[in-house]
Amino acid sequence: MTSTAASFCTIAAEPYALAVSPASTALLIIDMQRDFMEPGGFGAMLGNDVSLLRVAIEPLQALLAAARKTGLFILHTREGHRADLSDAPPAKLERGHGKTRIGDLGPMGRILIRGEAGHDIIPELYPLPGEPVIDKPGKGSFCQTDLELILKNRGIRTLIVCGVTTEVCVHTTVREANDRGFECVVPADCAASYFPEFHQMALRMIVAQGGIFGWVSDSARVIAALG
Ligand code: TIU
């Protein structure tokens, strides 16, 4: 942690500005995996145009670089399952009713299985040694993981939540985090959805009702605050 990280800063955001201490703030990057971002993975298996998610990569690279420079605590998550599928609920295995399922062999290895090429994080946003990677079996990052323990041990109270997809794993994680007492801010351009209209609505849901479970900002405003 650098000396900058000891001070306070204000992130311009909706519905109102959020004062944070970088020392108690973490950047949480959700599921920027090849399985969601590249052809032949889980996202494509569900019938999605995976190219739609790539808009988040460049802003997120800039935010990640700024966060590393500031000395922010940085964590990454990956959605996926054990090779024997023992941690995958039957309903999830059947989801999509397509020809290919979770665990089937695709061009990037077995779909959504830990250790396979498709399960890994895209090279553009690859974690550095020392940045925890949380493997999660569900959509939310707190369900059946040690994320909460790691954040509490580190004294984190604010989360900058980025990644894919906005209305699924990002939203579920923000909801889980908010109920656990964390303040969450989502930089809008650092998240993406296969459905741009869902992206917009998911962000509106966060800031509605006075910020019912968080804040929405963007990479430029978060980087300016950290700077
Ligand atoms: N399908 C979809 O939009 N998302 C997921 O299945 N997982 C995440 O959002 N990571």
Side-chain angles (χ1 to χ4, degrees), residues 31 36 42 46 48 79 136 139 164-165 167-169 194:
D31 300 357
F36 295 104
F42 183 61
L46 295 172
N48 297 302
E79 179 179 345
K136 61 188 183 66
K139 305 303 179 192
V164 296
T165 60
E167 79 281 12
V168 184
C169 291
Y194 301 118

Side-chain angles (χ1 to χ4, degrees), residues 27 62-74 160 223 226:
L27 175 64
L63 181 56
L64 179 57
R68 283 174 175 158
K69 203 168 153 203
T70 306
L72 231 56
F73 188 39
I74 297 163
I160 301 168
I223 291 168
L226 295 177

Side-chain angles (χ1 to χ4, degrees), residues 35 40 81-85 101-119:
D35 251 323
H81 297 281
R82 293 169 177 261
D84 65 3
L85 298 176
R101 304 271 167 111
I102 293 171
D104 287 352
L105 195 59
M108 295 187 287
R110 292 180 67 203
I111 290 171
L112 221 60
I113 299 298
R114 293 176 189 164
E116 301 287 337
H119 178 261

Side-chain angles (χ1 to χ4, degrees), residues 3-27:
S3 56
T4 324
S7 52
F8 279 82
C9 65
T10 301
I11 300 175
E14 286 74 48
Y16 53 88
L18 174 66
V20 306
S21 161
S24 61
T25 300
L27 175 64

Side-chain angles (χ1 to χ4, degrees), residues 1-2 12 14 18 32 40 56 58 65 75 77 90-93 100 115 129 141 143 159-160 163-164 179 197 212:
M1 194 74 47
T2 65
E14 286 74 48
L18 174 66
M32 293 298 286
E58 225 177 272
L75 308 95
T77 70
K92 185 173 181 181
L93 292 174
T100 46
S141 302
C143 179
L159 297 175
I160 301 168
V164 296
D179 278 352
E197 68 274 27
I212 190 71

